[in-house]
Amino acid sequence: MSLIVEKFGGTSVGTVERINAVADKLIKKHEAGEKLVVVVSAMSGETNRLITLANEISDAPPAREMDVLVSTGEQVTIALLSMALQKRGNDARSYTGGQVTIRTDNVHSKARILDIDDDKIISDLDQGRIVVVAGFQGIDNSGNITTLGRGGSDTTAVAVAAAIKADECRIYTDVDGIYTTDPRVVPEAKRLDTITAEEMLELASLGAKVLQTRSVEFAGKYKVPLRVLSSFEDGVGTLITYEEEGSSMEAPLISGIAFQRDEAKLTIRGIPDHPGVAHQVLGPISDAHINVDVIIQNASAKGLTDLTFTVPRADYQPCMELLHGMVDTLGAKDVKGDDKIAKVSIVGVGMRSHTGVANTMFKTLADNDINIQMISTSEIKISVIVDESKLEQAVKELHKAFELDL
Ligand code: ADP
Ligand code: ASP
Ligand code: MG
């Protein structure tokens, strides 16, 4: 008997009809002999609705209460799905993260899973029950409700699959697999039959929200057999593979393109250059829990240096204020910024064994009159910062240039 974890995202459980449809399919699979643990998200739009409510009450809602609030979305879905399953004759049980128990650290709104006590899950499965677990949430050592960051139900599913050593973890969503890029932006994007965990990790962390980055980290660490499929149509979806390094010779040059819209860039100019400058500037920003992404420090002319870096757009104003506060102490000239930028990244393990990829990328952007503001590379990815208004064009042209639509 195979042991399967299935996760359904917000759109897949967005209405009562859809919850009923999910229940019908689960019952069929259960009858066909699968032991099933089901992880669900909040109904689509619900998490955003709850966040809006909080923002109407307070400019800075307390993190602990925010988690109490947003975790309710998933609690609604587990109850409704369990009812639907019970109505169809299975003695299903729903569990919140705290009830399972999914133990996390205490970092509200971006907690990390520490361990999962799977006793209840295993015992229910042994009694023939379908087990329904709330995604996105856990509990810290003091009993506080925590959440795992937007898209966190993916991570719940993979972590549960790792804990119970499931034969497969299936992520059901509103597209039928992982594509060469977001099919909503490039209709010519192609579904991939397989993608390496390494590439998927890059794509996710560079903005492809089809899987939460941490879920892919978990999958890689515990080698969880992971597949992304459509919850609306039948199909094989996309399998995440764990290939050894070295197989990249046959790999396509580029496997996918990811992008991130809400970025901002800041520059502090004319800082007297001496050891420790980057630390002096970026230290206070990291202390403020602002995530700095691409960083460039210019070679200094006349003993002065410029430091440019990107942050999430939501952190642009606080970051600007921090930099203005440093100008005098550092003896810097001034601070500049632009909060209308975006990041486009190409990803592929094939880059390891082929040259010329960067060239093709830069030439394609140049031919289309798209100015590159910053560049950052690693072994299997190249990212560029461009003006926000050029983002979609850049993604489409690169998709064509690397023949991903063929
Ligand atoms: P769910 O609510 O099921 O968790 P998400 O909205 O989080 O679904 O993720 C699915 C979405 O991810 C798709 O609708 C698609 O627009 C987007 N997406 C971005 N990049 C990709 C990609 N490379 N392949 C497939 N989908 C992608
Ligand atoms: N409901 C949460 C969100 O919207 C978690 C998830 O859907 O994975 O981010
Ligand atoms: Mg998601």
Side-chain angles (χ1 to χ4, degrees):
M1 225 185 187
S2 49
L3 176 55
I4 309 290
V5 174
E6 300 208 333
K7 179 254 170 180
F8 294 87
T11 319
S12 315
V13 290
T15 61
V16 165
E17 290 71 38
R18 285 189 176 166
I19 292 177
N20 277 324
V22 166
D24 283 336
K25 286 193 189 164
L26 289 170
I27 293 287
K28 271 202 197 118
K29 290 181 204 175
H30 189 260
E31 282 169 357
E34 288 183 348
K35 285 187 167 189
L36 290 167
V37 179
V38 189
V39 173
V40 284
S41 292
M43 295 167 80
S44 59
E46 180 62 7
T47 311
N48 287 342
R49 187 185 73 87
L50 295 167
I51 293 172
T52 307
L53 286 180
N55 290 334
E56 282 171 15
I57 298 267
S58 163
D59 287 342
R64 181 186 182 280
E65 304 315 322
M66 204 60 194
D67 277 354
V68 172
L69 176 71
V70 294
S71 62
T72 62
E74 272 69 13
Q75 190 168 334
V76 170
T77 329
I78 54 170
L80 293 176
L81 180 59
S82 296
M83 289 174 195
L85 290 166
Q86 288 183 27
K87 195 172 162 192
R88 287 161 179 76
N90 185 279
D91 186 23
R93 280 279 161 91
S94 68
Y95 293 103
T96 64
Q99 288 174 319
V100 170
T101 322
I102 298 178
R103 185 86 50 202
T104 72
D105 63 19
N106 61 3
V107 186
H108 286 293
S109 86
K110 35 179 168 300
R112 282 182 174 268
I113 296 178
L114 301 176
D115 60 69
I116 295 181
D117 176 2
D118 56 15
D119 288 357
K120 288 198 193 77
I121 298 181
I122 301 294
S123 132
D124 281 342
L125 289 173
D126 288 345
Q127 293 171 64
R129 292 184 172 130
I130 297 177
V131 182
V132 184
V133 177
F136 181 51
Q137 54 180 264
I139 193 163
D140 74 6
N141 277 329
S142 312
N144 297 301
I145 295 175
T146 54
T147 62
L148 310 177
R150 297 306 304 267
S153 300
D154 298 332
T155 302
T156 306
V158 177
V160 168
I164 64 173
K165 300 190 181 56
D167 296 302
E168 189 163 77
C169 178
R170 302 175 186 149
I171 306 283
Y172 287 93
T173 183
D174 55 7
V175 283
D176 65 348
I178 294 160
Y179 277 69
T180 46
T181 192
D182 189 337
R184 298 190 199 285
V185 170
V186 182
E188 297 79 22
K190 288 273 177 298
R191 185 182 57 79
L192 302 164
D193 286 328
T194 62
I195 184 165
T196 67
E198 195 183 9
E199 288 169 313
M200 191 58 231
L201 187 60
E202 287 283 359
L203 286 175
S205 68
L206 294 165
K209 71 167 183 167
V210 58
L211 284 176
Q212 198 198 31
T213 307
R214 284 205 192 141
S215 72
V216 190
E217 274 170 16
F218 245 104
K221 190 164 169 199
Y222 297 98
K223 302 281 181 291
V224 176
L226 178 62
R227 196 181 280 280
V228 175
L229 317 106
S230 162
S231 55
F232 305 117
E233 345 164 341
D234 294 336
V236 290
T238 303
L239 180 70
I240 314 293
T241 61
Y242 304 98
E243 273 153 45
E244 299 301 320
E245 269 187 38
S247 51
S248 56
M249 280 307 281
E250 308 98 63
L253 214 46
I254 297 301
S255 298
I257 302 177
F259 51 87
Q260 200 115 43
R261 289 177 197 276
D262 296 326
E263 302 261 314
K265 139 182 121 161
L266 299 104
T267 304
I268 176 156
R269 294 196 299 180
I271 324 165
D273 195 11
H274 54 77
V277 164
H279 172 65
Q280 275 177 297
V281 175
L282 300 175
I285 291 167
S286 136
D287 292 344
H289 301 289
I290 296 174
N291 252 336
V292 171
D293 184 13
V294 184
I295 307 172
I296 293 178
Q297 186 174 353
N298 286 345
S300 55
K302 296 192 214 120
L304 298 179
T305 187
D306 301 340
L307 195 72
T308 303
F309 56 91
T310 64
V311 296
R313 197 170 294 169
D315 293 325
Y316 180 66
Q317 276 314 330
C319 205
M320 202 49 152
E321 280 161 29
L322 281 171
L323 287 191
H324 277 298
M326 287 176 203
V327 169
D328 287 346
T329 355
L330 292 172
K333 187 165 156 259
D334 60 11
V335 174
K336 283 195 328 178
D338 182 354
D339 66 350
K340 298 278 181 297
I341 57 157
K343 184 167 76 172
V344 186
S345 309
I346 58 173
V347 171
V349 287
M351 264 187 232
R352 284 206 181 100
S353 44
H354 294 84
T355 54
V357 176
N359 236 336
T360 307
M361 182 180 201
F362 303 154
K363 182 171 187 309
T364 305
L365 296 172
D367 289 349
N368 286 282
D369 207 22
I370 298 171
N371 187 39
I372 301 174
Q373 304 183 13
M374 295 168 88
I375 302 171
S376 136
T377 65
S378 75
E379 212 187 357
I380 65 162
K381 73 116 206 264
I382 305 170
S383 301
V384 295
I385 300 291
V386 299
D387 193 272
E388 181 186 59
S389 64
K390 300 282 186 177
L391 174 67
E392 295 205 359
Q393 190 195 355
V395 175
K396 285 182 180 141
E397 293 299 339
L398 290 169
H399 198 266
K400 249 189 278 168
F402 286 102
E403 301 183 338
L404 293 174
D405 42 1
L406 296 185

